[in-house]
Amino acid sequence: MKTIKRMLEHQIWANRELLSAIQRCDGQAQEALNLFRHYVIAEQAWIMRLNGESSTHLRLWTDDADLASLEEAVASNEQRYGDYMERLTEESLDDMITYVNQSGVAFQTSIRDILTHVALHGQYHRGQINRVLRESSVQPEAVDFILFSRLS
């Protein structure tokens, strides 16, 4: 439980750091913004599923992400994951969640595996975003877990 909580704390910190880097782009890295939107909306989908809500209305990929809506989504996700983690117990980590994905396919997955996926999915896309930032002559943001652990 402690490890998963720590991974999600890192996710929240890294989202803030990367959002700050994207804000500095002044709209010059739409690909970075689109990637950031994808994983922020994916985070939203997963927390909705964990809370028993449908996420089928969410579009995971678009080419027209905008900064203002992402700022709101990041803040909302941070609040929703924080609230969820406060209620979560060690005993419930292996509970199975039944949900329907964006294609309408039903799945059952443990809470532990969902939360691990959320953290790893974000890390994957943050690496992609940093590549795009570098290619756009914007300083990439250091968001590795070890840096987070040194700072906290």
Side-chain angles (χ1 to χ4, degrees):
M1 176 78 155
K2 185 176 179 181
T3 299
I4 288 177
K5 282 186 174 184
R6 192 84 168 127
M7 288 170 67
L8 290 174
E9 289 168 357
H10 168 253
Q11 176 98 345
I12 289 167
W13 170 82
N15 283 353
R16 286 188 214 139
E17 295 295 308
L18 205 51
L19 182 59
S20 178
I22 291 171
Q23 288 167 331
R24 291 192 306 270
C25 287
D26 294 326
Q28 295 184 18
Q30 187 64 42
E31 183 184 0
L33 194 58
N34 291 340
L35 285 165
F36 190 72
R37 182 203 173 276
H38 164 72
Y39 91 77
V40 168
I41 296 302
E43 285 180 5
Q44 183 181 7
W46 284 112
I47 195 62
M48 291 175 78
R49 294 168 185 165
L50 286 165
N51 284 316
E53 304 166 30
S54 173
S55 67
T56 58
H57 65 284
L58 298 175
R59 291 179 47 217
L60 294 177
W61 290 103
T62 66
D63 293 331
D64 59 352
D66 68 279
L67 196 53
S69 65
L70 289 178
E71 290 167 349
E72 291 175 23
V74 166
S76 175
N77 285 353
E78 186 173 327
Q79 181 66 48
R80 292 191 78 185
Y81 276 95
D83 293 346
Y84 185 82
M85 294 306 291
E86 282 183 28
R87 297 187 313 268
L88 190 62
T89 65
E90 179 72 38
E91 297 75 33
S92 63
L93 277 173
D94 293 314
D95 289 354
M96 300 298 283
I97 300 293
T98 301
Y99 59 94
V100 176
N101 73 2
Q102 303 325 101
S103 300
V105 179
F107 290 95
Q108 264 198 329
T109 308
S110 72
I111 292 170
R112 180 186 313 273
D113 286 347
I114 289 171
L115 293 174
T116 301
H117 169 73
V118 168
L120 295 175
H121 182 249
Q123 189 64 19
Y124 172 75
H125 287 301
R126 284 190 297 276
Q128 290 179 314
I129 292 165
N130 267 332
R131 175 194 48 83
V132 171
L133 293 176
R134 187 175 295 110
E135 290 170 356
S136 301
S137 300
V138 175
Q139 179 67 34
E141 198 62 44
V143 290
D144 288 343
F145 179 82
I146 196 67
L147 177 59
F148 166 74
S149 69
R150 291 174 187 151
L151 296 171
S152 55

